[in-house]
Structure formats: structure tokens, C-alpha cells
Amino acid sequence: MEGNLAHLGSGLAIGLATIGPGVGIGTIVGKTIEGMARQPESAGALRTTMFIGIAFAEALALYGFVFAILLFAK
Amino acid sequence: MESAGTSHGHGNIISEMLEEFNLQSTYGQHFFGIDLSPLSNLHLFGLDLSVNKAVVCLWLSTLITFGIIYYAGHGRGLVATGFRNMIEAIFTFIKLNVVEEALGHEGKKWLPFIGGLFFFILINNLIGLIPGSFAPTSNINVTAALAILVFIIFLIAGMIKQGPFKYWAHLAPGGLPKWMYVVLYPIEIITLFMKPLSLAIRLFANMLAGHIVIFSLLALIILFKMSLLMAPLPFLASVIMYAFEIFVALIQAYIFTILSAIYIGSAMHPEH
């Protein structure tokens, strides 16, 4: 067994940081599909907005990822 | 990781790869199996301007971006065919879906900047998928430079469009009780600086994460002790991740450009 508490922290950082964005991206995509099914003619605009929303939710997970890298490289 | 201790220090590929996998030298000369040691030493004015593989790849992608757009823009004939047609289709997509949506009818003069940004980031992302090369956008310095460029541009565009004092006054939405501004204005200032920060970190972390996942999947082969029974599984998974990386490169270039366009648009036309 090698490693120290920083490695444990880095695993926890990325693991916990993915929970919220996972739920968020699921909600965004699910709601977009609902909207597309209801109004197929607005699918293009909805898809564009969906990607922007995903990018904002995903950024939160990536902050956790950056901190995980910083802790792991310690 | 107990096999790291037994095969350590013999200079073979396995121990080197496991040392890389141990991430001890992430910010040093090696970067997840890519050799980033300087090819030439150059120190000017106290700055380390040594050229390594990342810099060469950045130059290469700059040249490719310039070449593609120059070739597409200076072709002969009124109707674009073949490769020129593809570039023109991508530019039309950016014009319709990014520039006109975020900047409105006056967005036409922003198309060269936004389109150039898209192509530069796309080529930078894709060049990392060539084996042995390095994606310049998986380095925080490149993405931070791009984000600071966008930050300065939307500050200046907002201050020219609205006037230097009105721009700062319009950061917080109008029509609220006076005491709300004491709370709201510092939050808006923090939001202003979070915009380029999140732009830089999003692109950097997305590209870095993809490379680390592919590297980790390939390192699984070594953890499985190179058994022919188990090795095809991580290999197949890494090929699938590689294909997914092409999609991520496209999406991230699109996200960066559309967010830049939205930031420029919101700096020029604040909500009231």
C-alpha cells in the first residue's frame, strides 16, 4: 500500500464532484428530449441551448477534476 | 500498484509507464507518457522560452489553421467544391448558429474573430489525437491565454458600445432597491472574473481528462500482467474513447466559441 491521505482526497474530490453535474446533465438532456418530442420543429434551437447548459453543468465536475489532479500530483 | 516496486528501475517500458501512471512528474518533463523535455534552450529577459513538443504542436496547428482558411478563402470559382465547400459549410454554421444567435444582426463583423477562434481551437484539439503529438489545449497556459484574450475583447467591446462608465454601471441589472446593489455588485464583479476562468478550465480539463482516460485504459493492460485473454478489453475501450475524443474536440471548440460570442453579446447589450 502506497499513497497518503491526499490520494484519498483526490479520489473523493472527483467522485463527489461528479454527482451533482451527473444529475444536472441528466435533467437537462431529459427536458430537452421532452421539448423536442413536443415540438420537433424547435429541435435545432433546443439542441444548441442544451449544449450550453451541459457545458455549464459539466464545468462544476471539471473543477473537481482539476482539484483531484492537484491533490494527486502532490 | 505492488508490481511497480518489483519492475522498478530497469529502464524497460513497463516500469517507465507505471512511473508515468504514478503521476509523479505531471508538471515536469513528462506528461502522461509524452516527452516534453526541451528541444532547445532559450532564456530571454528571465523568461524560459525553451521549445518543446507542445510548442512545436502549437506552431503546427497555427500553420494548419492559417493554411486551411487561406486555401478556402482564396480558391478559384464562384461555387465552392470539395474541401472548400466543407470549410464554407462550417463557417455558415458558425454564422447562423453562433454569431447571429448571440450577437444579432450586427454580428457580421465579429464572424472573422469567432470563426478563427473556432478553427484554431478545433485544430488544436484534433492535433492531440495524432499518436506521438500533444494537444496544446490540454495545457492550461494555452487555454488561459485564449480566455484572457476573449476577456479583454468583451471588456473593450462593452466599453466602446456602452461608454466606459455606463458599462461598469450596467454590470448589475437595473430597477432594484438601492440596498440590493451593495450585495449584488460584488457578486457581479466576481461573476465577471469567473467567466474567463471557467472558459479556460473547461477547455483545458476536458482535453486533459480525455487523454488521461485513454492513458489509464492502456495502463490497465499492464495491470492485467499483459495476459492475451484480458488485454483486448482495455484496448477496445481505449479505441472507443479515442473515437469519443473526436466528438469532444468538436463540442468543446463549439462551446468555447459560443460562450465567447454570448459573453461579447451580453457585454454589448446588457439586460435591463
Side-chain angles (χ1 to χ4, degrees), chain B residues 102-113:
Chain B
L103 292 160
H105 59 277
E106 61 181 1
K108 202 179 172 187
K109 63 185 173 192
W110 286 99
L111 182 62
F113 173 64

Side-chain angles (χ1 to χ4, degrees), chain B residues 150-166:
Chain B
V150 170
F151 181 59
I152 292 169
I153 281 178
F154 81 68
L155 276 184
I156 291 175
M159 283 197 270
I160 287 175
K161 181 83 182 171
Q162 297 188 52
F165 295 107
K166 267 193 166 176

